[in-house]
Amino acid sequence: MAFTVGDRRLGLPAAQVQEVLPMPRISRVPYASDTLLGVANMRGTVIPVISVGRLIGQDKSECQRVIVVNEGGLVGLAVTSVEQFADHRTVDDVSAVDIAGLVARAVPEKRQRRSSQRVVASADRTARHESVPLVALTVGSQAFALPVSHVEEIVRAPEDIARMPHSDAVVMGTMLLQGAVLPLLSLAALLALPPRSVDHHARVVVVRIGTHRVGLLVEAMQSVMYVAETDIDPVPQVLNRGCAEARIQAICRLGEGQGLLSVLAADKLLREDIMARLLQGDGKEQGEMTGSAASEGSERFLLFRIGDDSFGLPIDAVEEVVPLPSRLTPLPKAPDFVQGVMNVRGKVIPVIDQARRFNGTAVESAKPRVIVVRIGALIAGFIVDAVSEVALVHESALREAPDMGAAGTRIFDRVAALGGGDDLVLIISPQELLDRAEQDMLAKLGKKGMTRTP
């Protein structure tokens, strides 16, 4: 097969070619070599895509086609164009390509992948068993929360909502989610709060009430947090006199001057007449089966953004998500990627600029967030540009990440194919975010910083 890269004509044996594709959507991989453009989805198979131009000194060559070859696994070679199938010995200006050599140069050292720790270690679970995970939401310019156990996923509010005629302010209509019709309600109206206009911050919280899945429109998702059971109090009975108040099951004391947070009771959000109206003519049994199938064999991930790239973390590994404070306490002799320490509910944790670790440049978002993650015995915060949503990903949309050689890329153990398969999100293995030496160093620095942090 003859192909071009910039102004050079090259060739490789046609027997080694699996397929030729137009240039697909590429998801960049941090820590990978410059010659590895990223990963792409080839009809359900995630493949690494290598820039042949960067390997042969044609750095400015345009990439328009991908030649898929099998060299210890499927690999895509990004080239300028594919010209013809021919015997390269009969074409004078075609140079033969050593595929094995190209792949070895782009992925210089393949390493055995460690077994992925996809669930929180038992020690972590023990440390959390007395805490309640909550999702904090903004509704009617006020802060509320729902238990994570009641939330299936959180997605962006759709632009197109099928409105229901003759409905009140609560029933907004329906939307499509993973091929199923989802009833959409206004949580502000359910709580008798004034509605706010829907903008790009608006989210739909998908909850299961009984056997039904329902979408609740909120103004924004604030954070994910773990709250000690001792900081959660029942609502005083004297306040449970109205329908809106009865939908609040507890009051959470946030401490550190952050005030109170009302925890909603998901099973009491809907009146029976509203649920009956939603199910009229919708095929109740089919809706229940679709909802169950969507949840079975699925995992929840917190999706976040660093620059233009999207990543995911298993929701079980996330302690909480908090705004980046205006000032961090610096740590002397700490590495460049450690921005300092901060106080999160009485715990002093190191704060790491994940963008600097991934691509050498600091986070530049106007409203950065800190994702607090438990890594073994260490709790650390990772600065990201934005936290977008909680996604429920079915196991059929999860792929094992291809071996990309560089030691740093081992933190990506899986890839999630979202948006019909074209959008690839790299899933981070929490236990690989920091190596053992970094964990020990940060634990020591954190103890020293604790004496300096007010």
Side-chain angles (χ1 to χ4, degrees):
M1 169 181 282
F3 60 92
T4 64
V5 178
D7 57 8
R8 292 186 59 180
R9 297 188 72 218
L10 305 169
L12 53 82
Q16 294 182 279
V17 177
Q18 303 290 311
E19 194 168 348
V20 177
L21 305 170
M23 194 65 188
R25 183 177 298 178
I26 300 292
S27 295
R28 194 181 66 86
V29 180
Y31 298 127
S33 64
D34 292 339
T35 54
L36 181 65
L37 296 180
V39 293
N41 190 347
M42 189 187 78
R43 294 190 306 281
T45 301
V46 178
I47 63 171
V49 179
I50 296 169
S51 168
V52 178
R54 293 178 183 177
L55 284 168
I56 65 173
Q58 297 278 324
D59 294 9
K60 297 182 180 179
S61 61
E62 189 176 1
C63 295
Q64 297 181 343
R65 292 289 185 271
V66 171
I67 302 173
V68 181
V69 298
N70 195 334
E71 181 58 39
L74 295 180
V75 178
L77 306 178
V79 301
T80 302
S81 65
V82 176
E83 294 186 354
Q84 60 184 341
F85 284 92
D87 186 343
H88 71 272
R89 292 172 296 182
T90 65
V91 185
D92 294 336
D93 61 343
V94 172
S95 302
V97 171
D98 175 13
I99 296 178
L102 282 178
V103 175
R105 288 171 60 191
V107 187
E109 184 182 355
K110 286 182 176 290
R111 295 172 168 84
Q112 182 177 3
R113 185 179 300 279
R114 301 181 194 176
S115 59
S116 171
Q117 300 187 33
R118 297 179 183 174
V119 296
V120 180
S122 58
D124 294 347
R125 293 191 184 278
T126 301
R128 293 183 178 184
H129 81 282
E130 294 181 352
S131 298
V132 177
L134 301 173
V135 179
L137 312 163
T138 301
V139 184
S141 298
Q142 298 183 36
F144 293 89
L146 275 167
V148 169
S149 59
H150 293 172
V151 177
E152 289 204 351
E153 57 186 311
I154 301 174
V155 299
R156 294 181 184 275
E159 295 181 0
D160 297 324
I161 297 173
R163 302 286 177 177
M164 295 189 69
H166 309 297
S167 61
D168 56 23
V170 171
V171 181
M172 301 195 64
T174 59
M175 60 176 282
L176 277 177
L177 182 66
Q178 299 173 355
V181 176
L182 183 75
L184 186 60
L185 309 178
S186 166
L187 186 53
L190 281 169
L191 298 176
L193 295 172
R196 296 290 186 270
S197 58
V198 176
D199 59 17
H200 66 282
H201 295 294
R203 295 291 186 268
V204 174
V205 182
V206 182
V207 299
R208 182 170 291 279
I209 301 176
T211 58
H212 308 293
R213 299 173 82 213
V214 177
L216 304 174
L217 183 68
V218 302
E219 291 169 34
M221 182 186 84
Q222 289 186 4
S223 65
V224 178
M225 63 181 69
Y226 279 77
V227 179
E229 291 180 353
T230 54
D231 290 335
I232 299 177
D233 301 318
V235 178
Q237 288 298 320
V238 68
L239 298 180
N240 282 328
R241 52 186 178 80
C243 62
E245 291 88 343
R247 294 178 177 126
I248 297 174
Q249 63 174 322
I251 303 295
C252 174
R253 289 176 279 110
L254 297 179
E256 301 179 19
Q258 298 183 61
L260 303 175
L261 186 65
S262 298
V263 182
L264 299 172
D267 57 345
K268 296 181 180 178
L269 285 175
L270 302 187
R271 301 192 310 267
E272 291 184 3
D273 61 319
I274 294 178
M275 182 59 79
R277 221 181 325 151
L278 290 171
L279 295 175
Q280 277 184 347
D282 276 352
K284 179 177 179 180
E285 294 181 1
Q286 182 179 357
E288 291 176 8
M289 291 175 61
T290 303
S292 299
S295 300
E296 186 176 354
S298 300
E299 291 185 56
R300 286 182 296 178
F301 299 96
L302 180 72
L303 303 187
F304 60 92
R305 182 174 52 80
I306 296 177
D308 296 327
D309 303 316
S310 295
F311 304 93
L313 267 169
I315 195 69
D316 283 345
V318 178
E319 291 280 315
E320 59 184 295
V321 181
V322 296
L324 177 67
S326 58
R327 179 180 178 275
L328 294 172
T329 302
L331 278 176
K333 301 181 181 180
D336 290 342
F337 61 81
V338 179
Q339 300 297 290
V341 294
M342 64 181 289
N343 193 318
V344 179
R345 306 190 194 289
K347 298 178 182 177
V348 177
I349 65 170
V351 179
I352 295 165
D353 191 330
Q354 195 62 22
R356 190 181 295 276
R357 283 174 64 83
F358 277 178
N359 53 36
T361 59
V363 165
E364 298 179 352
S365 171
K367 295 182 178 180
R369 292 292 184 266
V370 177
I371 302 177
V372 182
V373 181
R374 181 180 292 275
I375 306 171
L378 177 70
I379 297 178
F382 295 85
I383 307 174
V384 301
D385 285 300
V387 172
S388 55
E389 58 191 78
V390 176
L392 184 72
V393 181
H394 193 268
E395 59 185 8
S396 62
L398 292 170
R399 311 279 186 272
E400 183 177 353
D403 188 353
M404 293 167 286
T409 61
R410 287 182 299 182
I411 74 170
F412 308 110
D413 64 343
R414 289 177 291 171
V415 179
L418 306 179
D422 290 336
D423 295 329
L424 295 182
V425 174
L426 295 171
I427 303 299
I428 294 175
S429 174
Q431 304 300 326
E432 302 288 346
L433 271 171
L434 298 171
D435 61 31
R436 174 54 58 188
E438 290 174 330
Q439 291 183 41
D440 293 342
M441 175 195 66
L442 289 176
K444 293 178 182 178
L445 289 174
K447 290 179 181 178
K448 293 179 181 179
M450 192 176 302
T451 62
R452 302 184 180 93
T453 305

